[in-house]
Amino acid sequence: MKIPNEPKIDKDIIENHGLNESEYQKIIEILGREPSFTELGVFSAMWNEHCSYKSSKKWLRTLPTTGECVIMGPGENAGVVDIGDGQAIIFKMESHNHPSYIEPYQGAATGVGGILRDVFTMGARPIAAMNALRFGAPSHKKTRHLVSGVVAGIGGYGNCFGVPTVGGEVEFDERYNGNILVNAFAAGLADTDKIFYSKAKGVGLPVVYLGAKTGRDGVGGATMASAEFGDDIEEKRPTVQVGDPFTEKRLMEATLELMQTGAVIAIQDMGAAGLTCSAVEMGAKGNLGIELNLDNVPTREENMTPYEMMLSESQERMLMVLHPKKEKEARAIFEKWELDFATVGKTTNDLRFRLIWQGTEVGNMPIKELGDEAPEYDRPYVETPSPAPLAQQNFTGDVAKILLKLIASPNLCSKKWVWEQYDTLIGSNTIQIPGSDAGLVRVDGHETKALAFSSDVTPRYVEADPFEGGKQAVAECWRNITCSGALPLAATDNLNFGNPEKPEIMGQLVGAIKGIGEACRALNFPIVSGNVSLYNETNGVGILPTPTIAGVGLLADWQKASNIAFKNEGEVILLIGAPNNWGSHLGQSQYLRQIENRIEGAPPPVDLSHEKKIGDFVRMLINEQLTSAVHDCSDGGLAVALAEMAIAGNIGATIDEPKNNAIEAFFGEDQGRYIITIKQSDYGKVIEKAKAENIDIKRIGTTKENSLKLGNASSISVSELKTAHEAWLPQYMKDKI
């Protein structure tokens, strides 16, 4: 099994493959011998954190993953949710954090490509994309370069492929200086009776390689993504994949055409760990073995070794178990699309993963131990101590000046500079582009239905209190979908944390998962797919814990959809869901951070029964067409939400003076609150409905002219608000990179 010129396995090589001593000894025990270098690479690819979830599996099992509309939960390429009329929405979010920090354009581009393949591998045509991006402090020397490269990579790949980007997030914090986050989401439509899975079936069936050729790009990428960064970061550049969106587009069209022929028995995207992961997962799920003949793998570089072929993460590739009588028909389709089609192996009945190269067996491993029986850890953890509440004090200041400063700050300013570089309308079904609470896309072929998409998390809340922060991430995503008028159906998560071997970091992960689970159960919002990204640290400094939640909702009639823009002057502005004062919670708020230069206190608590009750009521008002604009209160509180509504509609408002402290009322980030506008003539009807449901509702002002006046504060023209809101990011990016 020795391959010429393969390095001798030593302690350094084992460590460089992300394996600890006990894991290496386990490999020897499983094989009954020392592994070859190629086999070591295969084990390291399958047992790394990125592929095996060995530190998080125990806790992921506690999440709710089933529901009335769920067809397929976690475990496949993406989650599948029934949307009626024989159709399903298939979606997932995944991270490409480490590659995007090393090489931002290709790292982000291949993140988009990978998540799109997860969707169309299951038979769905992608209809929407989102991305949640976290960068370091604006003052950091690499931040502009990373923003520029990541945004260009997302736009370059998504625009060429032809999928609209309809939502997402962009935030800055010094804790991401050495480890940015790029979380990519995609969703696609499929018929419920034409969904394809990765579980191999049948013995002696051909295993077929589809798509682009294999190169040396991305070798070891999954292992790299499962380790901390250090000072040797530039040496990891060869582990970043290189993408080609035009090849991906052809691969999608060929794959979807192939699926119509009945040739596909099982199919899997070659993502992390490439040929290794796709082959092992297909075989292990089907309780079958796989034998691969590596001489048949299409390569674009000379003299590639078995190690390189098995661990390459070259993009735009798939692996399929093929119906043998359909091979000629299937091959013709891929040749028509000028893509590789090669029979590289077969299924077996011996539960072994065999690799043949130049007529010699160079790998022979038990497939179950590689796949679904990979190591699992119950890591020790320390619960995050409950933060002390923010000390009571009488906050004072000029509300108008504070608002202008907040909406011009890096995290609250307009991100139009980013999303204007994405094609948000391709496909002609986009109803709501980025800039509102949720993106909206019509369901093609249906007269009235639409789907809503949102992505949310507030990392500073999660760090202060992982349990409440996890709840809040789910609640805000659910709330944003509700603001569009859609019924939230299901969610996907992308859990980005530091080193799980540190008990305090593991405590953040456990606390957040517990909070996410509780919120998903209370809001009937199951997690159907997801990704865990750990070891997001550089030289021991971890990121803010960032469990991103992306959700999908269904709108029965898109003509009833709502958005955040004020529509007409003279309409009543109502605040729904604020039981006592309009707002009061300043702990961990943007006000405290940006104005007082303090990061302290407990995050706002999330009352899930309150969230459900208020959200259902708001959705009912939207569907009865009693609202003209709807927006939730989140970062920056009531004042920032009102400013965003005024800017979006180019209409001002006069807001009453609150009865409590004005700073708390306007900038508190209390959860579960919505602002709506209604016609004067509907005021009595809406109030009666609220009373009947025991809903807290307050009239706080009126839309009026072209300025925003908050209580006793000075008026701010809408044009001044807009200039302040939209100026920072373009100006920042104009500076020399």
Side-chain angles (χ1 to χ4, degrees):
M1 227 175 262
K2 178 68 177 173
I3 298 171
N5 301 318
E6 276 198 336
K8 180 177 173 56
I9 296 172
D10 58 22
K11 186 177 179 181
D12 288 342
I13 284 179
I14 294 167
E15 187 176 311
N16 288 338
H17 279 76
L19 296 165
N20 59 40
E21 187 176 338
S22 65
E23 288 172 338
Y24 184 68
Q25 290 303 315
K26 181 70 174 175
I27 292 170
I28 293 175
E29 181 183 319
I30 288 170
L31 294 177
R33 56 176 169 79
E34 295 274 348
S36 69
F37 183 65
T38 297
E39 289 174 326
L40 181 74
V42 169
F43 271 101
S44 77
M46 292 307 301
W47 284 13
N48 65 54
E49 200 72 59
H50 193 78
C51 293
S52 72
Y53 299 106
K54 59 189 175 186
S55 295
S56 56
K57 270 196 281 195
K58 171 183 175 178
W59 298 102
L60 295 176
R61 292 190 189 102
T62 67
L63 292 171
T65 59
T66 59
E68 190 176 323
C69 63
V70 177
I71 295 173
M72 172 57 68
E76 273 294 337
N77 286 294
V80 185
V81 173
D82 196 330
I83 61 169
D85 301 307
Q87 290 182 301
I89 185 72
I90 296 178
F91 63 96
K92 189 180 183 183
M93 178 173 260
E94 277 205 343
S95 60
H96 234 226
N97 304 335
H98 285 47
S100 299
Y101 186 78
I102 297 168
E103 212 302 299
Y105 185 95
Q106 290 297 347
T110 53
V112 174
I115 200 66
L116 288 168
R117 284 196 304 281
D118 281 336
V119 167
F120 70 73
T121 298
M122 298 192 72
R125 182 172 291 276
I127 62 164
M130 297 191 292
N131 47 81
L133 312 177
R134 260 89 192 174
F135 298 103
S139 59
H140 190 266
K141 62 183 180 180
K142 289 194 71 171
T143 300
R144 281 187 192 84
H145 165 70
L146 291 167
V147 173
S148 177
V150 165
V151 171
I154 291 169
Y157 204 101
N159 295 354
C160 292
F161 178 86
V163 61
T165 300
V166 299
E169 306 168 88
V170 182
E171 285 194 346
F172 299 85
D173 193 282
E174 65 181 2
R175 293 281 292 283
Y176 303 108
N177 282 351
N179 202 127
I180 64 172
L181 301 184
V182 174
N183 294 171
F185 169 96
L189 275 177
D191 292 337
T192 54
D193 61 350
K194 296 183 181 69
I195 296 168
F196 292 82
Y197 299 103
S198 59
K199 179 179 177 180
K201 298 175 184 177
V203 176
L205 299 183
V207 175
V208 178
Y209 174 116
L210 308 168
K213 295 185 188 307
T214 294
R216 291 188 172 95
D217 53 321
V219 172
T223 300
M224 176 272 293
S226 303
E228 295 180 30
F229 282 152
D231 293 328
D232 62 345
I233 187 170
E234 286 302 316
E235 298 174 15
K236 299 181 186 292
R237 190 173 297 276
T239 63
V240 178
Q241 310 95 319
V242 177
D244 178 355
F246 298 106
T247 299
E248 177 111 337
K249 174 68 172 174
R250 288 185 288 123
L251 178 61
M252 179 191 72
E253 297 298 348
T255 302
L256 294 179
E257 185 176 340
L258 177 69
M259 288 170 170
Q260 303 304 311
T261 67
V264 179
I265 292 173
I267 190 164
Q268 176 78 31
D269 160 43
M270 285 195 221
L275 185 55
T276 289
C277 194
S278 55
V280 170
E281 287 188 356
M282 290 173 76
K285 285 178 183 176
N287 290 314
L288 294 170
I290 298 282
E291 181 181 296
L292 296 180
N293 186 343
L294 302 185
D295 298 334
N296 295 339
V297 172
T299 58
R300 64 168 182 263
E301 299 182 50
E302 293 183 358
N303 301 317
M304 288 190 70
T305 66
Y307 179 95
E308 291 171 329
M309 283 187 272
M310 293 310 299
L311 270 68
S312 168
E313 293 184 9
S314 295
Q315 297 292 286
E316 294 89 38
R317 301 179 302 157
M318 317 270 267
L319 199 66
M320 169 182 68
V321 176
L322 174 73
H323 194 294
K325 293 183 179 179
K326 299 278 188 177
E327 183 170 349
K328 184 177 179 181
E329 185 179 1
R331 184 182 296 276
I333 291 171
F334 273 76
E335 289 176 351
K336 179 185 73 174
W337 287 99
E338 298 181 344
L339 293 164
D340 278 293
F341 180 102
T343 300
V344 296
K346 63 182 179 181
T347 58
T348 65
N349 63 358
D350 59 3
L351 291 176
R352 305 296 293 183
F353 186 45
R354 285 192 172 86
L355 308 176
I356 311 298
W357 179 66
Q358 296 183 359
T360 301
E361 186 180 83
V362 295
N364 188 330
M365 297 151 280
I367 203 164
K368 298 291 281 188
E369 282 81 349
L370 279 170
D372 48 22
E373 294 176 18
E376 180 177 338
Y377 293 120
D378 185 4
R379 296 202 185 275
Y381 67 93
V382 175
E383 290 187 10
T384 304
S386 296
L390 188 65
Q392 288 291 323
Q393 66 184 91
N394 186 32
F395 289 96
T396 59
D398 187 319
V399 168
K401 288 182 179 178
I402 291 169
L403 174 59
L404 284 169
K405 185 173 181 178
L406 282 178
I407 64 171
S409 65
N411 285 341
L412 293 177
C413 71
S414 169
K415 303 308 187 296
K416 184 184 287 189
W417 180 90
V418 172
W419 55 258
E420 280 189 338
Q421 297 184 55
Y422 306 150
D423 194 328
T424 61
L425 298 171
I426 193 165
S428 303
N429 282 318
T430 304
I431 300 167
Q432 180 62 59
I433 62 175
S436 200
D437 286 311
L440 284 174
V441 176
R442 279 185 291 264
V443 175
D444 200 26
H446 197 281
E447 290 185 5
T448 62
K449 284 201 305 193
L451 291 159
F453 305 95
S454 183
S455 166
D456 298 281
V457 66
T458 310
R460 63 186 187 279
Y461 290 176
V462 183
E463 181 164 62
D465 187 330
F467 181 71
E468 286 296 331
K471 285 165 59 180
Q472 192 272 343
V474 174
E476 187 173 350
C477 181
W478 188 88
R479 204 184 303 140
N480 282 334
I481 291 169
T482 290
C483 283
S484 71
L487 175 67
L489 295 179
T492 181
D493 59 8
N494 204 149
L495 308 179
N496 308 274
F497 289 81
N499 184 346
E501 296 169 46
K502 298 178 179 178
E504 65 275 15
I505 300 298
M506 193 65 201
Q508 292 176 342
L509 176 62
V510 172
I513 290 175
K514 287 181 177 179
I516 290 167
E518 183 163 309
C520 288
R521 280 184 286 271
L523 299 174
N524 193 23
F525 200 39
I527 300 288
V528 297
S529 59
N531 172 243
V532 179
S533 174
L534 304 179
Y535 296 95
N536 289 290
E537 297 196 4
T538 298
N539 292 325
V541 178
I543 61 164
L544 286 171
T546 311
T548 310
I549 302 294
V552 176
L554 179 64
L555 188 63
D557 185 350
W558 61 263
Q559 295 187 68
K560 294 181 179 180
S562 183
N563 60 40
I564 71 171
F566 287 152
K567 302 298 187 301
N568 304 290
E569 290 188 38
E571 293 196 327
V572 176
I573 301 172
L574 297 173
L575 177 62
I576 303 178
N580 299 311
N581 302 318
W582 294 1
S584 62
H585 197 100
L586 291 175
Q588 298 296 327
S589 66
Q590 287 286 357
Y591 166 83
L592 204 66
R593 175 179 178 169
Q594 299 292 336
I595 308 303
E596 302 287 339
N597 198 29
R598 294 158 57 188
I599 301 174
E600 59 186 270
V606 180
D607 181 336
L608 294 167
S609 61
H610 172 83
E611 289 279 359
K612 183 77 165 60
K613 178 180 176 182
I614 301 300
D616 289 348
F617 177 75
V618 169
R619 197 181 313 108
M620 179 268 292
L621 293 181
I622 295 169
N623 289 326
E624 292 188 10
Q625 297 189 279
L626 291 169
T627 63
S628 52
V630 180
H631 194 12
D632 78 315
C633 295
S634 54
D635 272 3
L638 179 62
V640 169
L642 288 164
E644 290 170 342
M645 297 175 85
I647 293 166
N650 200 30
I651 294 172
T654 298
I655 305 300
D656 301 338
E657 177 70 8
K659 294 178 181 177
N660 62 314
N661 177 279
I663 300 297
E664 293 180 352
F666 284 121
F667 303 110
E669 296 182 5
D670 308 62
Q671 299 294 294
R673 297 178 300 157
Y674 298 78
I675 303 166
I676 70 169
T677 56
I678 63 171
K679 297 175 183 177
Q680 292 276 2
S681 58
D682 287 330
Y683 177 70
K685 184 187 299 184
V686 171
I687 294 299
E688 283 302 312
K689 286 180 178 290
K691 284 181 179 177
E693 299 292 334
N694 195 26
I695 298 290
D696 296 296
I697 190 165
K698 297 174 176 65
R699 179 172 183 156
I700 63 170
T702 307
T703 56
K704 187 178 179 182
E705 299 174 343
N706 58 2
S707 63
L708 179 63
K709 182 169 172 36
L710 301 177
N712 295 331
S714 303
S715 293
I716 312 169
S717 70
V718 173
S719 61
E720 187 179 1
L721 285 170
K722 186 174 183 179
T723 298
H725 191 47
E726 296 183 357
W728 184 84
L729 190 52
Q731 185 59 50
Y732 173 73
M733 294 306 296
K734 275 183 184 177
D735 293 341
K736 187 176 180 181
I737 294 174

